[in-house]
Amino acid sequence: MPVLLLGVSGGIAVYKAVELTSWLRKRGWEVRVIMTENATRFVTPLTFQTMSRHAVHVDPFVEGEAGVEHIDLARGCDLVAVVPATANLLAKYAHGLADDLLTTTLLATRAPVMVAPAMNTAMWEHPATQANLAILQARGVEVVMPQAAGELACGEEGAGKLAEVTAIAEALERRHRLAGSLYGVRVLVTAGGTREPIDPVRYIGNRSSGKMGHALAEAAAARGAEVTLVTSASLPIPAGVEGVRVQTAAEMEAAVSGRFGAADVLVMAAAVADYRPVQAADRKIKKGQGPMVLELERTVDVLASLAPHKRADQFVVGFAAETNDVLGYAEGKLQKKGLDLIVANDVSRADIGFEADQNAVTVLGATGVVAEVPRMPKRQVADRIWDLVVERRQRP
Ligand code: CTP
């Protein structure tokens, strides 16, 4: 029986969280409720206690059976949802404040988190609220959007009304199915642009930031995969992921080829250099009067070199960063490198692709385009890509 930790913050929509509790219990969920002090002004804890058949938690200064209550609650659930999530709750969560039982538990949990905001239209549209939401989404928090239009309790018409209870419940069930969708699957992800030394202080690099690859690793770990991330980016290694730091194409090739045999899925999101200086100077090169010529040689194409060793049970995803004829080139790379899927993105656009926090991609398989993913945070693009991998591994 899946366990949902339901956080309830204070807004007029609290009564819908009561309805949600009842709905989920009937569908076999065990629901544990934490209310903020303000939420208890709208509905008493007894209402949630009756609906959930468990004691409701409000006060952070109560000892749990195994020690500390917020840690016990945070550990013992499959999923966390905050319904309704007020502007204040979103702001505190986005900035890591922990001044009551709910915000403390949100910080302490490793379970997937979903929030369903509800508030007045002006508060919803305020740049502060939207910026807080973007921070949370970038961290993998799923947002069940409020209704786009409707009459609000304050008498205003507009966006901000809590999503329908059935929409929230369906999103929760979908998220729960996904949470274990890569359980025990061994995933190898590469990220970042490699750096090829010219001398001890200079290198040939590219504009890849590694954000997409790191988001892919984080999203896979959240689905229960055993993840190894081979990265040349200086971003932090996501929680629960084994990190391998590399710099050059040769190091990337060694790290990946040595681990490929033990992987079920390889996602090659790294921008690996195609050329490197034939010789890296061991001292800093001093400038002269005339032009300078650097002699470059080809590096190993990691993906192409692995293709002959790929087993039937392995699944390989490549990326194609292009500035023109995006689909044409991507299709060619899919075939040439023996890939199951290729994720193509147009890196000539400044709002997506290299260095940006958002991305928009087209995913191709052997039969052509399998998905168009519109512009969204890279963490969400990562989840769309994993949805396709999960689906296709099951039904090749
Ligand atoms: N790739 C690789 N080893 C390389 C170069 C690229 O494994 N030496 C992988 C990338 O990680 C990516 C895919 O191949 O998944 C496509 O990379 P991309 O740079 O777009 O294409 P290239 O094959 O290098 O072709 P070109 O540079 O001519 O576009």
Side-chain angles (χ1 to χ4, degrees):
M1 186 189 297
V3 180
L4 173 74
L5 184 61
L6 179 65
V8 183
S9 61
I12 192 68
V14 166
Y15 72 96
K16 287 200 189 164
V18 177
E19 205 182 316
L20 178 69
T21 307
S22 153
W23 196 97
L24 289 169
R25 249 191 48 79
K26 285 185 200 137
R27 300 274 296 236
W29 286 73
E30 186 178 324
V31 185
R32 302 289 184 133
V33 180
I34 296 180
M35 298 176 79
T36 63
E37 287 283 356
N38 282 343
T40 65
R41 294 173 179 239
F42 291 91
V43 171
T44 65
L46 185 62
T47 311
F48 279 103
Q49 185 175 321
T50 311
M51 284 299 175
S52 69
R53 313 217 173 141
H54 287 290
V56 170
H57 310 269
V58 182
D59 183 359
F61 299 104
V62 175
E63 279 184 20
E65 283 166 26
V68 188
E69 190 182 29
H70 61 272
I71 302 292
D72 298 342
L73 289 166
R75 271 193 199 137
C77 62
D78 298 298
L79 205 61
V80 179
V82 185
V83 185
T86 59
N88 183 48
L89 184 283
L90 294 173
K92 288 203 280 186
Y93 185 25
H95 296 281
L97 297 183
D99 62 355
D100 62 10
L101 185 61
L102 178 54
T103 47
T104 312
T105 308
L106 284 170
L107 219 52
T109 193
R110 293 191 202 281
V113 179
M114 183 176 280
V115 294
M119 67 198 73
N120 154 279
T121 307
M123 292 171 82
W124 170 250
E125 288 172 354
H126 196 286
T129 304
Q130 292 303 315
N132 290 332
L133 273 176
I135 290 175
L136 294 173
Q137 283 179 311
R139 284 186 200 141
V141 172
E142 188 168 335
V143 180
V144 185
M145 287 294 171
Q147 297 177 39
E151 194 187 334
L152 293 144
C154 54
E156 258 184 56
E157 281 275 342
K161 201 177 164 117
L162 186 74
E164 295 291 354
V165 169
T166 47
I168 300 170
E170 276 160 21
L172 279 168
E173 297 212 317
R174 185 184 147 271
R175 183 74 187 216
H176 177 59
R177 275 197 306 277
L178 283 184
S181 63
L182 287 171
Y183 187 77
V185 176
R186 293 163 306 174
V187 166
L188 184 57
V189 179
T190 67
T194 57
R195 294 175 172 194
E196 308 304 323
I198 297 170
D199 68 15
V201 296
R202 304 181 179 97
Y203 60 83
I204 297 176
N206 62 64
R207 289 181 50 209
S208 168
S209 63
K211 287 178 186 167
M212 192 64 239
H214 280 243
L216 280 158
E218 183 181 280
R223 290 165 180 243
E226 290 169 27
V227 188
T228 303
L229 173 63
V230 179
T231 179
S232 55
S234 49
L235 299 170
I237 303 293
V241 169
E242 183 203 0
V244 181
R245 303 271 187 192
V246 295
Q247 293 249 348
T248 62
E251 288 169 11
M252 176 77 72
E253 196 263 327
V256 174
S257 62
R259 288 170 176 82
F260 182 61
D264 301 307
V265 181
L266 167 66
V267 181
M268 205 59 207
V272 187
D274 291 323
Y275 293 92
R276 67 169 163 242
V278 171
Q279 191 136 37
D282 53 7
R283 289 182 176 188
K284 187 181 170 200
I285 299 171
K286 291 293 174 188
K287 62 178 169 296
Q289 290 305 322
M292 181 186 172
V293 177
L294 262 184
E295 198 185 346
L296 304 177
E297 65 186 6
R298 282 291 311 268
T299 57
V300 174
D301 185 319
V302 185
L303 272 182
S305 73
L306 293 174
H309 308 288
K310 183 180 168 225
R311 299 189 308 267
D313 63 319
Q314 286 179 307
F315 197 93
V316 178
V317 183
F319 270 69
E322 309 290 351
T323 54
N324 54 296
D325 191 13
V326 179
L327 298 188
Y329 281 125
E331 210 163 355
K333 289 176 188 177
L334 175 99
Q335 280 164 14
K336 209 171 66 201
K337 304 195 186 201
L339 308 174
D340 294 290
L341 287 177
I342 191 155
V343 181
N345 62 340
D346 183 345
V347 287
S348 66
R349 282 172 56 182
D351 58 333
I352 56 169
F354 287 151
E355 291 162 302
D357 290 324
Q358 306 224 325
N359 209 354
V361 301
T362 304
V363 186
L364 294 98
T367 53
V369 173
V370 296
E372 293 275 7
V373 182
R375 190 160 84 102
M376 58 179 76
K378 284 183 172 170
R379 181 59 174 70
Q380 277 172 261
V381 174
D383 259 320
R384 296 291 181 93
I385 294 170
W386 285 121
D387 284 347
L388 294 168
V389 173
V390 168
E391 199 182 294
R392 270 149 205 275
R393 279 185 79 232
Q394 284 160 358
R395 281 177 278 112

